[in-house]
């Protein structure tokens, strides 16, 4: 993703946008090369975001905590004073929140295409319970 040579950007992913990517950890590592701050916002409870980011080894500079997305974006832009604030989301609702808070909006598919990220192709979470089944258990 070309940021015009400047890394003075805060990048926020809506949790659902991050889930749409094949390797969230690689995405964050890549984004750190051209952003100042990168994190996750969501309407979901904090533990949902924390569980996802831990599972995928995503090191975030910020997260929404108990706040909603709109309040989180407002707080983040106040705390992280960068030239650009970009919100990666999945739908028209995310775009409306970005517009209401003064953030630039980028759909996850467009962001992935621009940055060379791979989109997830299926539901990997359904496989985990099967892997935990033990045939040798009495």
């Amino acid at each position: 993703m070309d940021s015009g040579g400047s890394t003075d950007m805060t990048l926020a992913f809506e949790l659902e946008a991050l889930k749409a990517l094949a390797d969230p950890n690689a995405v964050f590592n890549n984004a750190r090369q051209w952003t100042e701050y990168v994190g996750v916002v969501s309407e979901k409870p904090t533990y949902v975001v924390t569980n996802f980011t831990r599972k995928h080894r995503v090191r975030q500079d910020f997260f929404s905590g108990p706040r909603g997305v709109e309040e989180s974006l407002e707080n983040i832009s106040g705390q992280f004073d960068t030239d650009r604030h970009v919100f990666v989301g999945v739908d028209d609702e995310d775009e409306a929140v970005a517009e209401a808070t003064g953030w630039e909006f980028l759909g996850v598919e467009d962001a992935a295409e621009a940055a060379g990220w791979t989109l997830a192709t299926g539901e990997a979470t359904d496989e985990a319970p099967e892997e935990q089944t033990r045939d040798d258990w009495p």
Side-chain angles (χ1 to χ4, degrees):
M1 184 173 230
D2 182 18
S3 63
S6 171
T7 60
D8 197 21
M9 179 193 316
T10 301
L11 184 65
F13 286 88
E14 207 292 325
L15 180 60
E16 294 306 313
L18 199 55
K19 287 180 176 180
L21 297 164
D23 188 348
N25 182 36
V27 167
F28 265 58
N29 289 336
N30 173 261
R32 288 189 187 288
Q33 297 174 28
W34 42 266
T35 62
E36 189 71 28
Y37 307 104
V38 61
V40 182
V41 296
S42 178
E43 296 287 342
K44 303 270 188 209
T46 303
Y47 75 89
V48 174
V49 176
T50 302
N51 287 345
F52 181 84
T53 56
R54 281 185 185 155
K55 177 181 176 186
H56 294 280
R57 295 189 168 100
V58 171
R59 185 178 54 87
Q60 53 190 343
D61 296 317
F62 58 83
F63 66 99
S64 53
R67 300 179 190 95
V69 172
E70 187 168 346
E71 185 181 350
S72 294
L73 292 178
E74 289 170 349
N75 288 337
I76 292 162
S77 61
Q79 290 177 357
F80 299 96
D81 186 24
T82 54
D83 289 342
R84 296 176 65 197
H85 293 88
V86 179
F87 179 47
V88 178
V90 295
D91 56 26
D92 292 341
E93 186 177 317
D94 290 342
E95 187 170 7
V97 169
E99 188 174 316
T101 56
W103 284 61
E104 297 174 42
F105 175 78
L106 196 55
V108 66
E109 293 88 1
D110 294 334
E113 183 178 333
W117 301 329
T118 304
L119 292 170
T121 56
E123 291 294 322
T125 54
D126 291 335
E127 296 172 11
E130 293 175 24
E131 293 172 6
Q132 294 173 1
T133 302
R134 293 179 52 168
D135 292 333
D136 62 341
W137 196 255

